[in-house]
Amino acid sequence: MRFTDKIALITGGTRGIGKALALTLAREGATLVLNYKQKEDTARAAVAEIESLGARAIALKADLEEPEQIDSMFQEIERRFGRLDCFVSNAAASAFKRILDLNVRNLDRTFALNVRAFVLGAIRAVPLMKQGGRIAVLSSYGSIRAYPTYANLGSAKAAIEAWVRYMAIEFAPYGINVNAVNGGIIETDSSAFFYRVPGMPSLEGVLDKVPKRRQGTAQEVADVVAFLLAPESEYITGQTLVVDGGLSIASPPFHADASPPLALPPFTPPPRPGRV
């Protein structure tokens, strides 16, 4: 029960990686604050699922593209709990287009939700972390690799990872660690949407290039974030942990494209991890 009596805010916490993390923390005693933007039914269902585990949870609606709504969300957290122990910036979205097709609105919204909301959230979270705390943010391998339609979001993720390093130094005197988790191809609604973009290479062809030969799971990413929020990670700050099945270390010529005698033996993936 590593998170007993801890208050944790997760933005975008009602589905995907955010929800997997919320359930993980709830199983170990945390009280959850789940931020969502629109789908109240989904938020209610996530809260009910957490409560079924014997944990406490609330859902707070806030459009993170609006600074005033970020302020209101943190004011409500302070009113209800008086403090915060963990802040996880998970909410993300972007327009998947070629650079020449991007417009001002695409650029502004991607920056507002992915970068500005994280920075403003951290600024509001730190004063509530009266006994120290943890800040974690979700990044992606588009921060370090270039591929079709991802320039807008990938550059935002790269900026987030830079902010993590600066925050880690400035927040260390307050007993606050700041880290990022850089995910690869994770099986979520977001990755399914991305691989449906017209003209995108097939997911199956891409997975052939991943050393683990499969997508990661939301739970695998959530477990790494949970580690960064837990006491065991006390001496880790300013880092970006990569969870991508080896994707970012592979490069052309790919092993998957090699022929004998260089071809790798047939690959049989082990059973996918999950929760009972």
Side-chain angles (χ1 to χ4, degrees), residues 24-145:
T24 299
L25 301 184
R27 291 186 190 97
E28 298 197 49
T31 293
L32 278 303
V33 180
L34 307 181
N35 156 257
Y36 71 102
K37 180 179 179 180
Q38 289 180 325
K39 297 182 179 179
E40 189 169 337
D41 290 346
T42 302
R44 258 197 240 107
V47 168
E49 191 169 352
I50 289 169
E51 291 176 340
S52 73
L53 300 173
R56 182 183 178 190
I58 64 170
L60 295 181
K61 183 177 182 178
D63 181 351
L64 303 182
E65 293 178 37
E66 302 296 335
E68 298 81 6
Q69 295 191 36
I70 295 175
D71 287 341
S72 297
M73 178 174 66
F74 279 93
Q75 287 166 6
E76 183 64 13
I77 292 170
E78 184 172 19
R79 185 186 73 80
R80 293 204 189 199
F81 304 106
R83 64 183 174 86
L84 185 66
D85 300 293
C86 302
F87 167 48
V88 180
S89 182
N90 168 68
S94 186
F96 298 121
K97 300 179 179 180
R98 299 183 312 160
I99 294 172
L100 295 180
D101 295 328
L102 292 169
N103 57 43
V104 171
R105 178 173 171 78
N106 298 149
L107 297 172
D108 287 349
R109 293 193 67 189
T110 295
F111 175 82
L113 177 58
N114 296 276
V115 183
R116 190 178 69 190
F118 168 52
V119 177
L120 292 179
I123 290 170
R124 292 303 306 265
V126 168
L128 297 179
M129 294 179 172
K130 306 177 192 302
Q131 303 299 322
R134 298 283 195 272
I135 296 174
V137 61
L138 275 296
S139 183
S140 78
Y141 78 103
S143 69
I144 54 176
R145 296 289 185 267

Side-chain angles (χ1 to χ4, degrees), residues 133-204:
R134 298 283 195 272
I135 296 174
V137 61
L138 275 296
S139 183
S140 78
Y141 78 103
S143 69
I144 54 176
R145 296 289 185 267
Y147 47 90
T149 77
Y150 211 79
N152 196 13
L153 185 54
S155 59
K157 296 296 190 181
I160 284 168
E161 293 178 13
W163 276 102
V164 162
R165 294 189 289 273
Y166 282 95
M167 288 179 184
I169 293 172
E170 291 199 23
F171 298 166
Y174 304 108
I176 297 170
N177 291 4
V178 187
N179 292 289
V181 173
N182 182 312
I185 304 173
I186 309 301
E187 189 174 3
T188 62
D189 291 344
S190 297
S191 63
F193 175 84
F194 178 78
Y195 279 96
R196 288 196 300 267
V197 171
M200 189 64 62
S202 72
L203 175 60
E204 291 72 20

